[in-house]
Amino acid sequence: MISLKKMNQPQDTVYEQFEDLAQQQETYVLGMWSFLVTEVMFFGVMFMSYIVYRWKYQPYFYALHKELDWRIGGINTAILLASSFSVALAVHYHQKKKKMNVLMCLGFTNLCAISFIVIKLLFEYIPKWNHGHYPGPGFSWDNPYVPSHIAQLWFSLYFGTTGLHGLHVLIGVILFSVLMYLIAVDHPSISDYLPTEMLGLYWHFVDIVWIFLYPLYYLMPK
Amino acid sequence: MTTHVATDEKNYLQEGHTLASWLLTKDHKRIAVLYLISVSFFFFVGSIAAMMVRLELTSPRGTLMSNETYNKAFSAHGVVMVFFFLVVAIPAIFGNFLIPMQIGARDLAFPRLNLLSWYFYMAGGIMFLIAMMSGGVDAGWTFYTPMSSIYSNGQITLALVGAFVVGFSSIFTGVNFIATIHKMRAPGMTWWRLPLFVWGHYATSLIVILGTPVVAITLLLVVFERVAKIGIFSPELGGDPVLFQHMFWFYSHPAVYIMVLPGMAVISEIMACFSRNKVFGYHFVALSSLGIAALSFIVWGHHMFVSSQSMYQGIFFSFTSFLVAVPSAIKVFNWSLTMYKGSVWLASPMIYALGFLGLFTVGGMTGLYLASVGTDVHVTGTYFVVAHFHYVMVGGTLLAFLGALHFWWPKFFGRMYPEGVAKWNALLVFIGFNLTFLPQFVVGWLGMPRRYHYYYFAPEFQVYHVMSTLGASALAVSLIVPAFYLTYSLFKGPKSPPNPWAARGLEWEAAASPPIKHNFHGVPVVVGDVYDYDAEAEELALRGMTKEEA
Ligand code: HEM
Ligand SMILES: [Cu+2]
């Protein structure tokens, strides 16, 4: 039933558990996709909670969504879309082995990611915090048309979901910085475009989550 | 047929003897051994808590401990057994060790991730142990809100963070298995030649990556609610506690299949080897694992028949729960038919497998009582439910675990244990188990509620509880005995031949026992079907004949 064939000679760029580079790359990409599946499920819980409560409290949620400025959310959406485009370009250039272009694209992506966080903090989180619009014992609320506990629930959902998303953006910033450094110094672990591609997949996912978050929280219909 | 190995070569256990060579290993086999040690430890902790519960219930008046201590005892038992034993044991020990070997790979796809998963497991475990010792957890393994988020005054936060962390350990393992099974199969190892052990773990991993993140975030939300008073489930915040139950069971029903599918995976291997026969209906058994994985995600509401769920939801979930019994039954029938016209060999792994077959059937059938809305309203929250899930989780998963331990012990360590003792012990497990849990069906049906530390209102229940505690003591003995003889065999047991069971499969036929670091001396090329046992020829050979002569 079984015979043994010779193993391939070890190569520097292929880890010992793999036969060849092609197998290694396919496995990494598949692993990344499986990881993204788990990410979808993570966010799924937040979206599900949103759906349940919006169903229950639609008129209040409509009133509450006016607490957010759709223009700021819109700018952030544009920023993320641009960053997704440039990361796709980075993969393209990496396949063509144009190091400078890769670095420039990744740099632009990273800049976008950082601006996203800065805008979110400066124009959204911090003002809300200053108004006491953070859920918890210190919550202050003076809109008589929306009960305070529902406002708290709404802010819990808002901070929970965008916070989880923001955390992903922050992790993206860290990973992009590390990747850029490794590419810049020609580190041996970056033997091909695969790391860029995997990080790109991650980044597209982060982008897509925002594409859903934005209309759900900022552009609610009556 | 087999290309065996020069015996003077180092096996994986001999590659380094320092502590660092274990704690920093990337070898899937060594990580499996790390898991074996730590999982056994947590199993021991969980068993102590179980004995506390059983001892308390010997008296109707609840004399031994306060109700709060009792709550902490059964919560510790439930959390440790579910999150640190059942979900982890078979995949992380046997799956880890055997999946690469059975598909002809040198290691899992992501060895470092594999090691990281063990560290996450340990970190989560230690957090839970600290929580247990510094105040305990009294909200049950289900952590229902608002009990867990507001009213309980135990160390819920730390326990939940522990459960969250250990969830990541399963996710890492799940991702690793999926990538490995898809991409690392040896030449000729097609999907339809995969051992059913691999199929079972594939289905399990799918459930893990789809379900575990849900419970992880849900538990985290409870932590937020508890600590920062922000939350999604608190009625004070306009939230709905029942939403917690939905999200919890959305994971935790599939999780019961995370616990039992690997057990089923083990049973397929043992049944084939000790019946010397192909697994009957191989394709059906393989696909039924995927069927279970898919259906398991649409039955969670059967845990919530008496919550505020609507009647129509109840009917829907009742119906789907009946459906999920179908693939489980397919497996049971196919294993039984595997023995038909086989040559059954009652070695200790097989005794455990037969025990599994009977007990899992009882557990699954009583699941159908519970899945019938009307009946469930009567017995939910009673010992009937407790007996049901112990039949599937202990009678199923634990017996499969013990079977696997005995079957692959020579593969892991190259030593044989005293088979005579092992056989009698397997029988004792079966008897002790039934003595523990059969009376619980009866007393539950009569109305004994679960999670009560006394039953002075119905002293006539005492006889069932005493039987159950006696059974649990027998069960405890039958679990200590293997701990001794297996440890003994590590040092003094006779060396095992490479394939003591004459089993089929790459892990037995193409590798040494214990295997070398890279498992095989080359890349196995698979040409034949899986489980190519020939019971008839073997029976004839016992009588000194060949098929032609007969
Ligand atoms: C034929 C398949 C099965 C069916 C139809 C089924 C049905 C049910 C139902 C309806 C309940 C809820 C009872 C109640 O709370 O009133 C239940 C509880 C439970 N089942 Fe099953 N079950 C099946 C198989 C399994 C398996 C294979 C396992 C584990 C390996 C399992 C583990 C559990 C656990 C742990 C609980 C109790 C959870 C708790 O409330 O603490 N079941 N089952
Ligand atoms: Cu269930």
Side-chain angles (χ1 to χ4, degrees):
Chain A
M1 172 188 162
I2 297 146
S3 61
L4 292 172
K5 94 179 182 348
K6 261 184 67 182
M7 278 188 216
N8 280 353
Q9 287 308 308
Q11 294 163 261
D12 316 338
T13 51
V14 179
Y15 282 109
E16 57 187 2
Q17 69 270 29
F18 297 108
E19 266 300 281
D20 50 37
L21 194 63
Q23 185 192 30
Q24 169 168 320
Q25 297 193 338
E26 285 176 20
T27 312
Y28 277 17
V29 173
L30 188 93
M32 191 66 200
W33 278 105
S34 323
F35 168 72
L36 291 182
V37 169
T38 71
E39 289 276 42
V40 170
M41 298 310 288
F42 270 118
F43 280 98
V45 171
M46 303 311 294
F47 282 117
M48 194 64 217
S49 315
Y50 173 91
I51 293 170
V52 167
Y53 293 123
R54 174 146 165 217
W55 188 287
K56 208 165 160 184
Y57 302 127
Q58 159 70 20
Y60 296 131
F61 269 37
Y62 176 73
L64 281 159
H65 103 282
K66 293 191 174 151
E67 295 289 320
L68 300 177
D69 188 341
W70 64 270
R71 281 163 302 206
I72 294 175
I75 293 172
N76 263 346
T77 310
I79 289 178
L80 276 192
L81 282 176
S83 74
S84 238
F85 178 69
S86 71
V87 87
L89 269 186
V91 177
H92 171 79
Y93 284 127
H94 211 152
Q95 283 168 333
K96 300 236 139 101
K97 296 200 168 49
K98 294 193 176 153
K99 180 172 154 187
M100 257 347 267
N101 295 19
V102 177
L103 283 177
M104 269 159 58
C105 288
L106 288 180
F108 179 74
T109 310
N110 213 1
L111 200 68
C112 290
I114 294 170
S115 338
F116 179 92
I117 296 178
V118 170
I119 292 176
K120 190 117 207 111
L121 283 177
L122 280 188
F123 297 101
E124 302 203 295
Y125 284 2
I126 293 176
K128 290 205 173 47
W129 186 271
N130 290 339
H131 282 104
H133 290 170
Y134 52 89
F139 188 69
S140 76
W141 188 248
D142 42 23
N143 179 345
Y145 300 106
V146 180
S148 161
H149 66 279
I150 293 177
Q152 281 201 54
L153 179 70
W154 191 85
F155 277 107
S156 294
L157 284 168
Y158 167 75
F159 280 115
T161 318
T162 58
L164 188 66
H165 177 261
L167 185 69
H168 280 77
V169 178
L170 190 66
I171 292 172
V173 170
I174 296 169
L175 293 179
F176 278 125
S177 311
V178 172
L179 181 67
M180 282 166 65
Y181 170 77
L182 293 179
I183 293 177
V185 301
D186 289 319
H187 193 272
S189 63
I190 313 286
S191 53
D192 59 12
Y193 70 95
L194 203 77
T196 313
E197 162 138 351
M198 300 224 305
L199 197 50
L201 280 176
Y202 170 81
W203 194 248
H204 292 315
F205 169 77
V206 173
D207 191 17
I208 287 174
V209 171
W210 181 258
I211 298 292
F212 281 94
L213 280 184
Y214 177 57
L216 287 181
Y217 282 91
Y218 291 78
L219 308 174
M220 221 180 272
K222 205 159 184 133
Chain B
M1 181 175 67
T2 337
T3 339
H4 267 304
V5 182
T7 40
D8 54 339
E9 205 175 351
K10 278 194 202 163
N11 64 44
Y12 79 101
L13 295 166
Q14 294 158 336
E15 301 269 350
H17 293 280
T18 57
L19 192 59
S21 77
W22 281 90
L23 293 182
L24 299 177
T25 181
K26 282 179 276 165
D27 183 342
H28 66 109
K29 300 180 288 302
R30 285 191 162 211
I31 297 172
V33 174
L34 289 178
Y35 264 118
L36 176 61
I37 298 167
S38 31
V39 166
S40 307
F41 168 74
F42 281 102
F43 183 71
F44 178 71
V45 174
S47 308
I48 303 262
M51 278 328 278
M52 285 171 66
V53 171
R54 281 316 327 155
L55 284 178
E56 171 75 350
L57 290 174
T58 49
S59 142
R61 307 214 147 263
T63 41
L64 212 59
M65 52 188 95
S66 71
N67 49 2
E68 201 166 333
T69 316
Y70 178 79
N71 291 350
K72 288 175 184 168
F74 76 68
S75 303
H77 170 63
V79 174
V80 171
M81 287 305 199
V82 169
F83 294 113
F84 298 97
F85 179 73
L86 290 162
V87 168
V88 190
I90 297 180
I93 299 170
F94 298 102
N96 222 335
F97 195 102
L98 295 165
I99 288 174
M101 300 204 69
Q102 291 192 333
I103 64 174
R106 293 195 273 281
D107 204 321
L108 285 174
F110 312 118
R112 275 177 294 187
L113 191 66
N114 195 15
L115 182 63
L116 190 67
S117 88
W118 182 74
Y119 278 101
F120 269 61
Y121 172 80
M122 290 310 283
I126 289 169
M127 283 181 205
F128 188 74
L129 287 181
I130 294 175
M132 244 170 65
M133 289 185 299
S134 62
V137 173
D138 58 355
W141 80 277
T142 47
F143 293 108
Y144 272 18
T145 52
M147 170 74 183
S148 59
S149 59
I150 298 173
Y151 299 107
S152 163
N153 41 31
Q155 291 285 0
I156 306 276
T157 307
L158 193 55
L160 287 175
V161 175
F164 180 80
V165 170
V166 83
F168 274 90
S169 136
S170 339
I171 291 176
F172 295 160
T173 308
V175 168
N176 221 336
F177 284 177
I178 289 179
T180 307
I181 296 170
H182 268 277
K183 295 291 175 193
M184 313 271 290
R185 284 170 286 126
M189 181 54 90
T190 59
W191 282 92
W192 291 126
R193 284 180 183 162
L194 284 178
L196 290 164
F197 184 85
V198 179
W199 273 105
H201 277 85
Y202 182 67
T204 310
S205 307
L206 289 179
I207 305 181
V208 166
I209 68 167
L210 288 170
T212 313
V214 173
V215 83
I217 281 286
T218 308
L219 297 182
L220 205 61
L221 288 173
V222 176
V223 171
F224 282 145
E225 202 159 306
R226 213 179 146 77
V227 179
K229 308 278 178 265
I230 75 163
I232 315 284
F233 309 121
S234 282
E236 286 87 344
L237 303 182
D240 184 350
V242 178
L243 183 63
F244 171 83
Q245 298 182 24
H246 278 292
M247 301 218 244
F248 181 82
W249 289 115
F250 178 83
Y251 161 77
S252 290
H253 181 83
V256 309
Y257 286 102
I258 296 178
M259 300 179 225
V260 87
L261 274 171
M264 295 168 152
V266 166
I267 298 304
S268 295
E269 300 297 302
I270 296 181
M271 277 293 169
C273 174
F274 294 91
S275 308
R276 319 304 301 165
N277 221 349
K278 274 193 177 44
V279 174
F280 187 87
Y282 165 90
H283 294 84
F284 286 93
V285 179
L287 290 177
S288 66
S289 297
L290 294 182
I292 287 178
L295 287 171
S296 72
F297 278 103
I298 51 167
V299 303
W300 78 88
H302 66 212
H303 296 273
M304 302 172 59
F305 287 145
V306 298
S307 71
S308 61
Q309 172 179 281
S310 84
M311 184 179 78
Y312 300 103
Q313 273 174 301
I315 294 171
F316 172 78
F317 285 123
S318 175
F319 178 71
T320 52
S321 305
F322 274 83
L323 277 188
V324 80
V326 174
S328 309
I330 289 180
K331 284 185 190 279
V332 169
F333 289 131
N334 283 311
W335 290 322
S336 312
L337 283 169
T338 303
M339 287 182 283
Y340 177 66
K341 289 206 171 163
S343 167
V344 177
W345 172 12
L346 284 181
S348 49
M350 184 63 167
I351 301 181
Y352 284 114
L354 291 172
F356 175 103
L357 208 60
L359 301 180
F360 178 77
T361 306
V362 174
M365 299 283 275
T366 50
L368 295 178
Y369 290 41
L370 297 171
S372 321
V373 190
T375 321
D376 184 67
V377 171
H378 175 61
V379 289
T380 187
T382 70
Y383 258 82
F384 192 87
V385 177
V386 175
H388 154 68
F389 67 71
H390 281 87
Y391 263 80
V392 270
M393 291 164 55
V394 180
T397 309
L398 181 66
L399 262 69
F401 174 78
L402 291 170
L405 201 58
H406 287 80
F407 186 40
W408 282 294
W409 189 260
K411 179 51 57 189
F412 270 57
F413 300 111
R415 301 279 186 163
M416 291 306 283
Y417 47 84
E419 169 67 10
V421 187
K423 267 189 199 168
W424 285 106
N425 188 69
L427 200 63
L428 184 62
V429 172
F430 185 78
I431 295 170
F433 173 83
N434 279 301
L435 189 57
T436 314
F437 293 105
L438 258 183
Q440 296 189 0
F441 274 127
V442 181
V443 79
W445 193 262
L446 294 176
M448 173 74 205
R450 65 191 284 205
R451 296 182 171 174
Y452 275 35
H453 86 303
Y454 52 51
Y455 44 99
Y456 61 80
F457 45 82
E460 67 273 21
F461 289 167
Q462 188 171 19
V463 54
Y464 301 108
H465 281 297
V466 170
M467 275 205 273
S468 185
T469 304
L470 281 177
S473 314
L475 197 54
V477 171
S478 71
L479 293 170
I480 293 170
V481 171
F484 277 104
Y485 67 70
L486 289 177
T487 316
Y488 168 85
S489 83
L490 280 183
F491 303 100
K492 293 280 163 65
K495 284 230 158 39
S496 100
N499 187 357
W501 316 112
R504 299 290 194 270
L506 290 181
E507 89 269 33
W508 292 111
E509 291 178 278
S513 299
I516 56 167
K517 178 158 181 267
H518 279 161
N519 299 342
F520 310 104
H521 278 258
V523 180
V525 180
V526 184
V527 289
D529 269 343
V530 62
Y531 305 125
D532 54 350
Y533 293 100
D534 191 342
E536 202 188 340
E538 289 191 26
E539 289 270 336
L540 289 172
L542 284 179
R543 285 180 247 149
M545 284 191 282
T546 63
K547 269 189 186 174
E548 287 73 42
E549 289 164 9

